[in-house]
Amino acid sequence: MAFALLVAWDAGGADLRLAQLSGTPMGFPLRHDALLTAVFHSDGKTLAWLLAAGLLLAVKWPVGPWRRLRVAERWQLLLSMLAAVGAVTLIKRYSLTSCPWDLQAFGGVAAQVSHWRLGMADGGPGHCFPAGHASAAFGFVGGWFVWRRHAPRLAAAWLAAALAGGLVFGLAQQLRGAHFLSHTLWSAWVCWSTGWAVDALMHRTRRHAVPAVAAHAAQRPT
């Protein structure tokens, strides 16, 4: 359902109309706004990596609800975040889609070309799809798959915080002209899908590991 709504938004052409609320033919007045660039962009990215460092420390020294998790699950919290950010970064690297502030409609040089038209450059610098900065928060959504098995309320709060953080980061970048809303929404979808994939892989690994350990134990001499 969410995927269908996202595709519908993407195909409806609402991105440009929404961007015109903060952009003009001369560019985006808030592109260099101190609050948006320093607090919501630079400081926000720093906070995200500090939280990731905290997840790494919690693998060795768990506190509070982290003590309920197995070591593999603590690793999953960190790895799902890194994998999600890595997936978004990889897509951006090969994307030919330019940012709104590079488009002719906002004083740039690039033509507006759908990111679905793979292999077609728009005349701009590209590498702007999906939203990389928003993934710094959306990347944590994968933690929901871990916490839901041990602490459902914490899982819901964790998911809500990750989604809210990503939307705030995405909105800040949209006001600056760095991304369309669809860039942010697709970043959320990629991060969610990556979190699901990591969880499925970890679950499959654990499921195959248990019989192997049991068989090894049975072969030990008594």
Side-chain angles (χ1 to χ4, degrees):
M1 180 63 178
F3 181 81
L5 291 174
L6 179 52
V7 171
W9 170 271
D10 207 3
D15 269 339
L16 184 60
R17 293 192 295 272
L18 189 60
Q20 287 171 336
L21 296 178
S22 57
T24 72
M26 300 299 293
F28 288 82
L30 295 177
R31 178 171 180 173
H32 302 292
D33 180 79
L35 178 64
L36 297 179
T37 56
V39 177
F40 288 102
H41 189 259
S42 299
D43 292 347
K45 185 181 297 185
T46 300
L47 175 60
W49 287 114
L50 287 175
L51 292 175
L55 294 181
L56 177 60
L57 293 176
V59 172
K60 180 67 174 178
W61 299 285
V63 296
W66 270 260
R67 293 175 179 171
R68 307 180 196 178
L69 307 179
R70 294 186 291 269
V71 174
E73 291 175 314
R74 296 178 214 151
W75 275 116
Q76 183 179 338
L77 285 175
L78 175 63
L79 294 177
S80 63
M81 183 268 181
L82 296 178
V85 173
V88 171
T89 301
L90 184 63
I91 296 172
K92 280 174 60 69
R93 179 177 180 181
Y94 293 100
S95 171
L96 299 178
T97 299
S98 296
C99 301
W101 58 36
D102 294 313
L103 299 183
Q104 296 170 5
F106 302 106
V109 298
Q112 187 175 11
V113 177
S114 171
H115 47 255
W116 290 109
R117 304 185 70 174
L118 303 179
M120 178 174 290
D122 57 18
H127 310 298
C128 197
F129 174 83
H133 183 52
S135 71
F138 285 143
F140 288 94
V141 299
W144 179 83
F145 294 95
V146 176
W147 290 117
R148 65 175 174 159
R149 292 188 286 267
H150 301 278
R153 289 186 178 181
L154 176 58
W158 184 285
L159 179 61
L163 292 175
L167 289 174
V168 168
F169 285 174
L171 176 60
Q173 289 294 81
Q174 173 141 350
L175 292 174
R176 298 180 60 227
H179 288 292
F180 286 125
L181 178 60
S182 65
H183 296 186
T184 297
L185 297 178
W186 278 112
S187 181
W189 186 84
V190 169
C191 289
W192 175 264
S193 299
T194 303
W196 173 84
V198 170
D199 183 66
L201 178 62
M202 296 291 286
H203 179 70
R204 182 177 180 181
T205 301
R206 288 194 297 267
R207 187 176 61 186
H208 285 79
V210 171
V213 172
H216 179 73
Q219 293 174 359
R220 291 182 180 178
T222 58

